[in-house]
Amino acid sequence: MTVLEGDCLQLLNTIQSGSVDMVLTDPPYGIANEVIITRSRDAQKFGKAKAITHNFGEWDKFAGFGDFMNFTKRWVDAVVPKLKGGGMLVSFFDRDRINFLSHYLQSQYGFKCKGYFAFIKQNPVPQARKVKFMNGWEVAGMWQKPGGKLTFNYENGQQPDYIFLPICSGNERTEHPTQKPLKAMYPFIRYFSNKNDLILDPFAGSGTTLVAARNLGRRFIGIEKEKKYIEIIHRRLEKFNLKRAETDERQLGFDL
Ligand SMILES: C[S@@+](CC[C@H](N)C(=O)[O-])C[C@H]1O[C@@H](n2cnc3c(N)ncnc32)[C@H](O)[C@@H]1O
C-alpha cells in the first residue's frame, strides 16, 4: 500500500519490473482549456448556476497533439516494464485520441486490445453554449500485455462494457476536478485482478483507484505529483481505515 508524491515519469523507475498485476489509471487527456462559462443569467434553469470550467490545472495542458502524444508515450514506456506478462493495462482516455494510445500499445509492445468500456453519466453537465450535445460518457481502453495468462474472473457473472452512474457527488466527492466515482473502477478490479494482487495507478489524482483497490482487498501503488491531491488521497484512505469493519466484500458485493 504505497502512495508516492512526485512525477511518475521519474518515480516509476523505483518500482520493480514485472511486479505489477494490473495498471488502472486515468492520465491527463489534454482537454483542459481556459474557458469559463458563467451561468448567472441562466440561474433559473441551472439552479445554483455554478460557473463551468475545463481549466483543471497545469497538469492537463499541452502545447499541441505532438506534445500530448510525446507525454503519453513516455508514461506508457515507463509503465509497461512494471506490468507482469498477461497483466491488464486499463486507462481512461480522451475519446478522440484513444485510438492513438491503442495503436501504440499494440504496435510497440504487442498488447492485445480487450475492448473499450464506457462510463455513462446519468447527470452530465449541461451544455451552456447550446451548440452541441452534452458530454455524457467517458471511455476506458482495456489492453493485455503479451507473455502471460489473462486474469478474467468470469465467475463474477456477466458484465457489460459500460456502467451507468451519476457523476461523483455527495460524501464521496473531493476537491479534485476530475474525480471518478469508485463504482466506475470496481468492474476492472474485480474481473482483471485477484485478492492481494498489486495495482498501479501512476496518475492517482484523489486516489479513486487506490481506495477501490483497497476496498476490494488488492494492494496498490499510487503516484501523484500535486501535494494538494496527495493530502486528499491520505484523507480518503484514512477514512476507509476507520470504517474498515463495514467495508467487507459482502457489503460491497456486486452492488455496482
Ligand atoms: C485525470 S486526473 C486523475 C483523477 C483520478 N482518477 C481521480 O478519480 O481522482 C490525473 C492526475 O494526474 C496527475 N498528474 C499529471 N501529471 C503527472 C505526472 N507526471 N506524475 C504524477 N501525477 C501526474 C494530476 O495532478 C492529476 O491529479
Side-chain angles (χ1 to χ4, degrees):
M1 315 284 190
T2 308
V3 180
L4 302 171
E5 179 181 346
D7 187 337
C8 67
L9 298 177
Q10 274 130 42
L11 290 173
L12 280 163
N13 292 327
T14 64
I15 297 171
Q16 201 188 330
S17 290
S19 64
V20 170
D21 295 287
M22 175 188 183
V23 175
L24 173 55
T25 194
D26 179 23
Y29 304 170
I31 56 168
N33 60 46
E34 303 292 341
V35 177
I36 296 177
I37 301 166
T38 48
R39 296 181 295 163
S40 48
R41 277 181 303 151
D42 284 340
Q44 271 181 319
K45 215 182 279 176
F46 296 119
K48 280 187 192 151
K50 236 173 121 187
I52 298 173
T53 176
H54 276 130
N55 189 353
F56 303 133
E58 291 310 307
W59 55 265
D60 200 43
K61 292 182 187 155
F62 296 90
F65 179 70
D67 187 31
F68 172 72
M69 281 311 295
N70 192 28
F71 169 76
T72 300
K73 288 177 181 175
R74 283 181 69 204
W75 74 253
V76 168
D77 293 344
V79 152
V80 167
K82 310 301 166 190
L83 188 59
K84 285 181 184 164
M88 290 295 293
L89 187 158
V90 176
S91 179
F92 282 90
F93 215 70
D94 177 28
R95 291 184 332 211
D96 196 30
R97 296 165 170 172
I98 196 163
N99 287 351
F100 294 100
L101 173 60
S102 189
H103 180 261
Y104 188 64
L105 283 165
Q106 293 180 65
S107 61
Q108 189 71 15
Y109 292 108
F111 276 54
K112 188 170 180 189
C113 184
K114 304 295 283 184
Y116 296 94
F117 187 95
F119 156 35
I120 302 170
K121 300 170 184 176
Q122 282 169 351
N123 51 349
V125 177
Q127 272 292 342
R129 289 232 162 109
K130 304 173 182 134
V131 290
K132 55 182 177 177
F133 296 147
M134 289 185 288
N135 186 352
W137 57 280
E138 294 196 39
V139 69
M142 303 174 283
W143 299 274
Q144 187 194 8
K145 184 173 174 175
K149 200 172 157 284
L150 174 73
T151 296
F152 187 75
N153 294 318
Y154 181 70
E155 62 277 15
N156 287 336
Q158 295 282 352
Q159 165 70 48
D161 57 3
Y162 62 86
I163 194 159
F164 197 54
L165 292 171
I167 53 178
C168 207
S169 62
N171 287 344
E172 195 181 322
R173 184 78 216 196
T174 73
E175 305 88 76
H176 196 289
T178 64
Q179 184 182 346
K180 292 278 181 300
L182 280 167
K183 286 181 177 176
M185 301 302 188
Y186 287 143
F188 306 122
I189 297 173
R190 285 183 187 289
Y191 283 83
F192 296 136
S193 73
N194 295 313
K195 288 232 175 205
N196 289 318
D197 274 1
L198 180 61
I199 294 179
L200 168 65
D201 185 351
F203 300 100
S206 66
T208 308
T209 301
L210 318 184
V211 175
R214 172 121 164 217
N215 287 355
L216 297 180
R218 275 64 168 175
R219 293 173 299 130
F220 61 78
I221 300 176
I223 307 175
E224 169 56 51
K225 75 172 183 187
E226 301 270 347
K227 191 171 191 55
K228 61 185 175 193
Y229 300 147
I230 289 278
E231 282 162 14
I232 295 175
I233 295 174
H234 286 303
R235 210 167 69 211
R236 292 182 81 189
L237 291 170
E238 184 63 24
K239 212 159 148 194
F240 174 80
N241 269 341
L242 296 173
K243 293 194 167 180
R244 190 168 196 152
E246 297 166 24
T247 52
D248 61 5
E249 180 78 4
R250 183 181 47 76
Q251 188 194 2
L252 283 160
F254 283 78
D255 178 25
L256 297 178

